[in-house]
mmCIF file of all heavy atoms in Angstrom:
data_model
loop_
_atom_site.group_PDB
_atom_site.id
_atom_site.type_symbol
_atom_site.label_atom_id
_atom_site.label_comp_id
_atom_site.label_asym_id
_atom_site.label_seq_id
_atom_site.Cartn_x
_atom_site.Cartn_y
_atom_site.Cartn_z
ATOM 1 N N LEU A 40 -1.464 -3.680 -11.905
ATOM 2 C CA LEU A 40 -1.252 -3.339 -13.317
ATOM 3 C C LEU A 40 -1.946 -2.041 -13.688
ATOM 4 O O LEU A 40 -1.371 -1.197 -14.369
ATOM 5 C CB LEU A 40 -1.746 -4.468 -14.217
ATOM 6 C CG LEU A 40 -0.853 -5.700 -14.267
ATOM 7 C CD1 LEU A 40 -1.567 -6.835 -14.975
ATOM 8 C CD2 LEU A 40 0.461 -5.378 -14.949
ATOM 9 N N VAL A 43 0.015 0.922 -12.176
ATOM 10 C CA VAL A 43 1.302 1.135 -12.856
ATOM 11 C C VAL A 43 1.081 1.716 -14.249
ATOM 12 O O VAL A 43 1.734 2.692 -14.644
ATOM 13 C CB VAL A 43 2.101 -0.185 -12.915
ATOM 14 C CG1 VAL A 43 3.268 -0.081 -13.882
ATOM 15 C CG2 VAL A 43 2.590 -0.569 -11.526
ATOM 16 N N ILE A 44 0.161 1.137 -15.003
ATOM 17 C CA ILE A 44 -0.098 1.605 -16.364
ATOM 18 C C ILE A 44 -0.608 3.046 -16.349
ATOM 19 O O ILE A 44 -0.147 3.887 -17.131
ATOM 20 C CB ILE A 44 -1.074 0.651 -17.074
ATOM 21 C CG1 ILE A 44 -0.372 -0.678 -17.338
ATOM 22 C CG2 ILE A 44 -1.613 1.260 -18.356
ATOM 23 C CD1 ILE A 44 -1.305 -1.808 -17.726
ATOM 24 N N ASP A 45 -1.524 3.334 -15.456
ATOM 25 C CA ASP A 45 -2.063 4.693 -15.350
ATOM 26 C C ASP A 45 -0.968 5.687 -14.977
ATOM 27 O O ASP A 45 -0.869 6.763 -15.566
ATOM 28 C CB ASP A 45 -3.194 4.726 -14.327
ATOM 29 C CG ASP A 45 -3.821 6.101 -14.226
ATOM 30 O OD1 ASP A 45 -4.218 6.635 -15.276
ATOM 31 O OD2 ASP A 45 -3.911 6.623 -13.101
ATOM 32 N N ALA A 46 -0.137 5.327 -14.013
ATOM 33 C CA ALA A 46 0.941 6.228 -13.569
ATOM 34 C C ALA A 46 1.927 6.504 -14.699
ATOM 35 O O ALA A 46 2.328 7.652 -14.915
ATOM 36 C CB ALA A 46 1.654 5.635 -12.357
ATOM 37 N N LEU A 47 2.302 5.463 -15.428
ATOM 38 C CA LEU A 47 3.252 5.653 -16.525
ATOM 39 C C LEU A 47 2.665 6.519 -17.640
ATOM 40 O O LEU A 47 3.366 7.360 -18.209
ATOM 41 C CB LEU A 47 3.705 4.304 -17.080
ATOM 42 C CG LEU A 47 4.591 3.486 -16.142
ATOM 43 C CD1 LEU A 47 4.856 2.108 -16.734
ATOM 44 C CD2 LEU A 47 5.896 4.208 -15.849
ATOM 45 N N ARG A 48 1.408 6.344 -17.924
ATOM 46 C CA ARG A 48 0.755 7.191 -18.937
ATOM 47 C C ARG A 48 0.757 8.652 -18.516
ATOM 48 O O ARG A 48 0.968 9.546 -19.335
ATOM 49 C CB ARG A 48 -0.682 6.736 -19.169
ATOM 50 C CG ARG A 48 -0.802 5.539 -20.035
ATOM 51 C CD ARG A 48 -2.240 5.223 -20.319
ATOM 52 N NE ARG A 48 -2.322 4.063 -21.182
ATOM 53 C CZ ARG A 48 -3.368 3.276 -21.244
ATOM 54 N NH1 ARG A 48 -4.426 3.517 -20.501
ATOM 55 N NH2 ARG A 48 -3.372 2.251 -22.044
ATOM 56 N N ARG A 49 0.485 8.903 -17.233
ATOM 57 C CA ARG A 49 0.395 10.286 -16.767
ATOM 58 C C ARG A 49 1.718 11.019 -16.816
ATOM 59 O O ARG A 49 1.731 12.253 -16.881
ATOM 60 C CB ARG A 49 -0.180 10.334 -15.351
ATOM 61 C CG ARG A 49 -1.685 10.082 -15.376
ATOM 62 C CD ARG A 49 -2.303 10.324 -14.040
ATOM 63 N NE ARG A 49 -2.004 9.171 -13.195
ATOM 64 C CZ ARG A 49 -1.918 9.202 -11.881
ATOM 65 N NH1 ARG A 49 -2.089 10.326 -11.230
ATOM 66 N NH2 ARG A 49 -1.657 8.107 -11.207
ATOM 67 N N GLY A 51 3.946 10.469 -19.248
ATOM 68 C CA GLY A 51 4.398 10.539 -20.633
ATOM 69 C C GLY A 51 4.944 9.250 -21.213
ATOM 70 O O GLY A 51 5.523 9.260 -22.303
ATOM 71 N N PHE A 52 4.780 8.143 -20.535
ATOM 72 C CA PHE A 52 5.267 6.863 -21.039
ATOM 73 C C PHE A 52 4.105 6.001 -21.534
ATOM 74 O O PHE A 52 3.943 4.858 -21.113
ATOM 75 C CB PHE A 52 6.053 6.117 -19.958
ATOM 76 C CG PHE A 52 7.440 6.620 -19.747
ATOM 77 C CD1 PHE A 52 7.843 7.103 -18.517
ATOM 78 C CD2 PHE A 52 8.359 6.609 -20.774
ATOM 79 C CE1 PHE A 52 9.116 7.570 -18.319
ATOM 80 C CE2 PHE A 52 9.645 7.065 -20.596
ATOM 81 C CZ PHE A 52 10.031 7.557 -19.361
ATOM 82 N N ALA A 53 3.323 6.529 -22.445
ATOM 83 C CA ALA A 53 2.154 5.809 -22.957
ATOM 84 C C ALA A 53 2.553 4.542 -23.698
ATOM 85 O O ALA A 53 1.913 3.497 -23.537
ATOM 86 C CB ALA A 53 1.331 6.713 -23.855
ATOM 87 N N ALA A 54 3.585 4.598 -24.497
ATOM 88 C CA ALA A 54 4.012 3.419 -25.258
ATOM 89 C C ALA A 54 4.504 2.315 -24.331
ATOM 90 O O ALA A 54 4.191 1.136 -24.531
ATOM 91 C CB ALA A 54 5.094 3.794 -26.261
ATOM 92 N N GLU A 55 5.239 2.686 -23.308
ATOM 93 C CA GLU A 55 5.735 1.708 -22.352
ATOM 94 C C GLU A 55 4.602 1.112 -21.535
ATOM 95 O O GLU A 55 4.585 -0.088 -21.247
ATOM 96 C CB GLU A 55 6.787 2.343 -21.434
ATOM 97 C CG GLU A 55 8.091 2.660 -22.130
ATOM 98 C CD GLU A 55 8.075 3.951 -22.955
ATOM 99 O OE1 GLU A 55 7.035 4.642 -23.006
ATOM 100 O OE2 GLU A 55 9.114 4.250 -23.556
ATOM 101 N N ALA A 56 3.633 1.940 -21.180
ATOM 102 C CA ALA A 56 2.468 1.461 -20.441
ATOM 103 C C ALA A 56 1.681 0.464 -21.287
ATOM 104 O O ALA A 56 1.240 -0.578 -20.802
ATOM 105 C CB ALA A 56 1.584 2.634 -20.034
ATOM 106 N N ARG A 57 1.534 0.758 -22.562
ATOM 107 C CA ARG A 57 0.838 -0.132 -23.481
ATOM 108 C C ARG A 57 1.585 -1.463 -23.614
ATOM 109 O O ARG A 57 0.973 -2.539 -23.654
ATOM 110 C CB ARG A 57 0.684 0.546 -24.840
ATOM 111 C CG ARG A 57 -0.236 -0.142 -25.779
ATOM 112 C CD ARG A 57 -0.562 0.653 -27.056
ATOM 113 N NE ARG A 57 0.392 1.681 -27.456
ATOM 114 C CZ ARG A 57 0.241 3.003 -27.248
ATOM 115 N NH1 ARG A 57 -0.827 3.454 -26.633
ATOM 116 N NH2 ARG A 57 1.147 3.853 -27.651
ATOM 117 N N ALA A 58 2.905 -1.404 -23.648
ATOM 118 C CA ALA A 58 3.706 -2.630 -23.754
ATOM 119 C C ALA A 58 3.542 -3.500 -22.510
ATOM 120 O O ALA A 58 3.449 -4.731 -22.616
ATOM 121 C CB ALA A 58 5.180 -2.271 -23.963
ATOM 122 N N ILE A 59 3.487 -2.886 -21.349
ATOM 123 C CA ILE A 59 3.271 -3.636 -20.112
ATOM 124 C C ILE A 59 1.893 -4.286 -20.130
ATOM 125 O O ILE A 59 1.741 -5.456 -19.762
ATOM 126 C CB ILE A 59 3.445 -2.720 -18.881
ATOM 127 C CG1 ILE A 59 4.919 -2.364 -18.720
ATOM 128 C CG2 ILE A 59 2.906 -3.387 -17.609
ATOM 129 C CD1 ILE A 59 5.187 -1.306 -17.676
ATOM 130 N N ALA A 60 0.891 -3.549 -20.570
ATOM 131 C CA ALA A 60 -0.471 -4.092 -20.638
ATOM 132 C C ALA A 60 -0.523 -5.275 -21.608
ATOM 133 O O ALA A 60 -1.148 -6.303 -21.308
ATOM 134 C CB ALA A 60 -1.444 -3.003 -21.063
ATOM 135 N N LEU A 61 0.099 -5.145 -22.735
ATOM 136 C CA LEU A 61 0.114 -6.223 -23.727
ATOM 137 C C LEU A 61 0.846 -7.445 -23.189
ATOM 138 O O LEU A 61 0.380 -8.574 -23.344
ATOM 139 C CB LEU A 61 0.761 -5.725 -25.032
ATOM 140 C CG LEU A 61 0.873 -6.754 -26.144
ATOM 141 C CD1 LEU A 61 -0.512 -7.246 -26.563
ATOM 142 C CD2 LEU A 61 1.612 -6.155 -27.327
ATOM 143 N N GLU A 62 1.976 -7.226 -22.563
ATOM 144 C CA GLU A 62 2.743 -8.326 -21.984
ATOM 145 C C GLU A 62 1.922 -9.081 -20.934
ATOM 146 O O GLU A 62 1.924 -10.318 -20.894
ATOM 147 C CB GLU A 62 4.021 -7.759 -21.354
ATOM 148 C CG GLU A 62 4.972 -8.793 -20.828
ATOM 149 C CD GLU A 62 6.238 -8.137 -20.311
ATOM 150 O OE1 GLU A 62 7.159 -7.900 -21.104
ATOM 151 O OE2 GLU A 62 6.285 -7.846 -19.107
#
Side-chain angles (χ1 to χ4, degrees):
L40 285 169
V43 167
I44 291 166
D45 182 53
L47 291 174
R48 281 185 179 156
R49 285 189 283 153
F52 282 120
E55 290 80 0
R57 191 171 23 259
I59 289 171
L61 179 61
E62 185 176 274

